[in-house]
Amino acid sequence: MSTTPPKALAGRRAQAARNDEVILEAARAVFLDDPKAPIAAVADRAGVGISALYRRYAGKEALLRQLCHDGLRRYIAVAEEALAEPDDWTAFAGFLAAVVDADVHSLTVHLAGTFTPTEEMGRDALRAGELATALVERAHASGRLRPDVVVQDLGLVLEACAAVRVPDAERAAQLRRRQLAVLIGGLSTTPDSDPLPGPPPAAGEFDWRWRLRE
């Protein structure tokens, strides 16, 4: 029978949760700067011992996987919330703005190909695609989204916003919102819109990025 008081257990769990949050935040900053950085750099930035980090994550790949999966889950949550919006165009534009604000794609672009995704991540990726497709279909139905925009275009829009980086986080957020507004203007239908050049991005066209790099 355990003699550890319940309050002590609760305190340890809370501390473990805090440590995990600090580790993930440090890992995000470290790997955004340099995806090839060693895991020890994460421990240093987080201010925890390397043993504390390894108690939570088996290695760098597990940490990278967790970071990207967290971002994928955030994308899904944002999309589900947007779909609850009754106005089709507001739902679409609000979804893009919320994903940009969450800065999901910065890590996706940097870390693709650095770890092996799990089956659960694959299922969540399919779910994310279904939700994004539903938002695009609704935006088309509203008559506000140009008819030649496809769901794969959204990834490129989000990546373009994530590419805006300056040292000050608040300023980066402002500039990304400005960039998104410019891009949404290009997505909107107008009477004199020229057709978008070239064939649209195809389903699976960017899957090569997720192949494990040597």
Side-chain angles (χ1 to χ4, degrees), residues 44-68:
D44 288 343
R45 188 178 182 98
V48 301
I50 192 70
S51 59
L53 195 154
Y54 275 119
R55 278 197 297 272
R56 181 65 181 85
Y57 299 98
K60 180 178 175 179
E61 183 172 352
L63 186 51
L64 294 173
R65 187 182 297 113
Q66 183 67 49
L67 286 171
C68 277

Side-chain angles (χ1 to χ4, degrees), residues 104-173:
V104 168
H105 279 65
S106 290
L107 273 177
T108 301
V109 173
H110 277 71
L111 302 185
T114 61
F115 63 89
T116 303
T118 63
E119 290 185 5
E120 183 182 5
M121 290 184 73
R123 290 191 295 270
D124 283 345
L126 289 174
R127 174 62 176 159
E130 291 168 355
L131 294 169
T133 297
L135 286 162
V136 169
E137 289 175 350
R138 285 183 55 184
H140 278 309
S142 76
R144 296 281 304 277
L145 182 64
R146 19 181 334 144
D148 48 358
V149 170
V150 298
V151 68
Q152 288 79 19
D153 284 311
L154 300 194
L156 298 178
V157 168
L158 294 169
E159 287 183 26
C161 293
V164 178
R165 297 184 65 193
V166 294
D168 183 86
E170 184 176 351
R171 181 59 178 149

Side-chain angles (χ1 to χ4, degrees), residues 7-128:
K7 286 185 178 180
L9 282 174
R12 289 175 187 172
R13 291 193 186 104
Q15 184 60 49
R18 284 193 294 271
N19 284 346
D20 193 42
E21 185 176 346
V22 169
I23 288 170
L24 288 173
E25 193 61 36
R28 179 181 175 83
V30 167
F31 294 135
L32 271 176
D33 284 339
D34 180 12
K36 296 182 179 180
I39 198 169
V42 176
D44 288 343
R45 188 178 182 98
V48 301
I50 192 70
S51 59
L53 195 154
Y54 275 119
R55 278 197 297 272
R56 181 65 181 85
Y57 299 98
K60 180 178 175 179
E61 183 172 352
L63 186 51
L64 294 173
R65 187 182 297 113
Q66 183 67 49
L67 286 171
C68 277
H69 203 173
D70 285 349
L72 181 56
R73 291 186 181 113
R74 178 60 182 154
Y75 182 99
I76 289 171
V78 167
E80 289 175 338
E81 184 175 351
L83 283 168
E85 163 61 47
D87 183 85
D88 294 333
W89 180 255
T90 300
F92 175 76
F95 161 71
L96 290 175
V99 173
V100 168
D101 287 346
D103 197 17
V104 168
H105 279 65
S106 290
L107 273 177
T108 301
V109 173
H110 277 71
L111 302 185
T114 61
F115 63 89
T116 303
T118 63
E119 290 185 5
E120 183 182 5
M121 290 184 73
R123 290 191 295 270
D124 283 345
L126 289 174
R127 174 62 176 159

